[in-house]
Amino acid sequence: QVQLVESGGGLVQAGGSLRLSCAASGSISIINSINNMGWYRQAPGKQRELVATITRDGSTNYADSVKGRFTISRDNAKNTVDLQMNSLNTEDTGVYYCKGLRPTSSGFYDYWGQGTQVTVSS
């Protein structure tokens, strides 16, 4: 099995920066089969939404709301995915989750971390 563990959340003032990190551990063969990894967030009372994704070869995708402010990066050797968040605003507040997507014979299998809280104060 695979576990994803997020770190780096916290409280920051608007305009500040935070860096989140997600570390994958467990079965190396499964970890190496995870192609797409990403960050999602859930604000109070709202649905979980995509923030950014990155493939094993480095192709990235961002939500419009974070383009130009957030940068996702991946280290395949260390099995980590980071999210650099700059120019934070109060709407970025929420629980941030790391997700890994592994293709299977019948579709895909999701792996999720437990989440890390990000709070941006005005």
Side-chain angles (χ1 to χ4, degrees), residues 45-113:
K46 294 187 177 181
Q47 289 189 329
R48 193 172 298 186
E49 63 177 3
L50 178 148
V51 176
T53 63
I54 186 167
T55 62
R56 182 165 286 275
D57 64 1
S59 297
T60 59
N61 179 51
Y62 295 92
D64 288 343
S65 60
V66 307
K67 282 181 180 177
R69 300 188 298 123
F70 291 11
T71 302
I72 189 170
S73 60
R74 179 171 181 168
D75 187 328
N76 293 325
K78 296 181 179 179
N79 299 321
T80 58
V81 177
D82 290 351
L83 184 69
Q84 177 66 42
M85 305 186 294
N86 299 327
S87 302
L88 286 160
N89 58 60
T90 55
E91 294 187 351
D92 295 317
T93 293
V95 179
Y96 283 67
Y97 298 90
C98 177
K99 174 184 172 182
L101 195 63
R102 176 173 66 89
T104 69
S105 58
S106 58
F108 294 92
Y109 189 86
D110 292 349
Y111 298 91
W112 288 93

Side-chain angles (χ1 to χ4, degrees), residues 24-43:
S25 63
S27 167
I28 294 300
S29 62
I30 294 178
I31 291 173
N32 288 339
S33 68
I34 294 176
N35 181 44
N36 193 298
M37 294 200 70
W39 288 92
Y40 292 71
R41 67 187 180 190
Q42 187 165 17

